[in-house]
């Protein structure tokens, strides 16, 4: 299957104008659309046009451009009249991380006090302080993969 366009991919179909979308920005590398199922109104998706399921496979210049466009979307949200006191950027890379459409994309969504959205976590399990030995082991493990 070509990486340029994946036949059964919803985002490729949107990019190819085979499915409708509310488009905010389009250039040679990315498309920005309004998310159909938003965290809050103004939730946007920055989608590279070349199909790659995972972030690791996206060309670095495309990723840089994706982030630059996300910065512009952030500014647009903050100056719009949509409720927006802050902005989250979010990537779900892989099914275990919550990815539902397997075409890499960056979420950009407005946040405001009392919007009721947030990450769910267990204080007993998450954000527990690591000891330095384990931190160093993790650092060595990951450095070897760079
Ligand atoms: Zn795709």
């Amino acid at each position: 299957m070509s990486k340029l366009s994946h036949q059964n991919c919803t985002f490729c179909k949107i990019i190819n104008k085979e499915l409708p979308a509310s488009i905010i920005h389009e250039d040679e590398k990315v498309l920005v659309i309004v998310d159909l199922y938003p965290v809050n109104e103004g939730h946007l998706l920055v989608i590279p046009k070349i199909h790659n399921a995972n972030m690791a496979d996206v060309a670095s210049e495309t990723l840089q451009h994706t982030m630059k466009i996300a910065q512009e979307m952030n500014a647009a949200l903050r100056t719009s009249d949509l409720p927006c006191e802050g902005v989250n950027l979010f990537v779900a890379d892989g099914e275990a991380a919550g990815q539902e459409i397997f075409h890499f994309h960056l979420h950009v969504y407005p946040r405001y006090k009392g919007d009721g959205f947030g990450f769910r976590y267990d204080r007993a399990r998450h954000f527990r302080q690591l000891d330095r030995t384990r931190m160093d082991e993790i650092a060595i493990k990951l450095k070897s993969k760079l």
Side-chain angles (χ1 to χ4, degrees):
M1 191 70 67
S2 167
K3 276 191 167 184
L4 292 175
S5 179
H6 193 288
Q7 204 171 4
N8 297 315
C9 172
T10 299
F11 288 163
C12 284
K13 287 179 180 171
I14 288 172
I15 289 161
N16 293 328
K17 310 295 192 289
E18 294 164 14
L19 287 175
S22 297
I23 296 170
I24 297 169
H25 170 85
E26 181 168 16
D27 60 40
E28 71 286 351
K29 284 190 168 68
V30 300
L31 186 71
V32 183
I33 63 171
V34 177
D35 195 313
L36 185 59
Y37 301 103
V39 165
N40 288 314
E41 287 190 2
H43 185 152
L44 311 176
L45 304 175
V46 185
I47 309 169
K49 287 186 167 178
I50 295 176
H51 180 94
N52 285 289
N54 300 315
M55 187 175 178
D57 296 327
V58 178
S60 61
E61 61 274 13
T62 300
L63 269 181
Q64 289 169 25
H65 187 68
T66 298
M67 188 57 78
K68 175 185 174 287
I69 297 301
Q71 181 186 36
E72 292 176 14
M73 296 305 122
N74 183 327
L77 286 168
R78 286 175 175 274
T79 55
S80 75
D81 64 0
L82 293 166
C84 180
E85 297 169 5
V87 174
N88 276 150
L89 270 59
F90 180 76
V91 171
D93 193 38
E95 192 172 0
Q99 188 172 11
E100 293 179 341
I101 295 180
F102 293 89
H103 178 136
F104 172 80
H105 54 287
L106 175 61
H107 296 257
V108 181
Y109 50 88
R111 298 296 310 276
Y112 51 89
K113 288 189 180 85
D115 68 12
F117 186 75
F119 288 106
R120 175 179 51 82
Y121 61 89
D122 176 357
R123 231 342 154 184
R125 181 170 172 212
H126 305 108
F127 301 112
R128 289 176 55 193
Q129 187 171 0
L130 292 176
D131 63 48
R132 182 61 56 198
T133 303
R134 184 59 184 151
M135 291 169 75
D136 289 345
E137 286 169 2
I138 292 167
I140 289 165
K141 219 183 268 267
L142 294 175
K143 276 183 186 174
S144 75
K145 298 297 180 187
L146 296 177

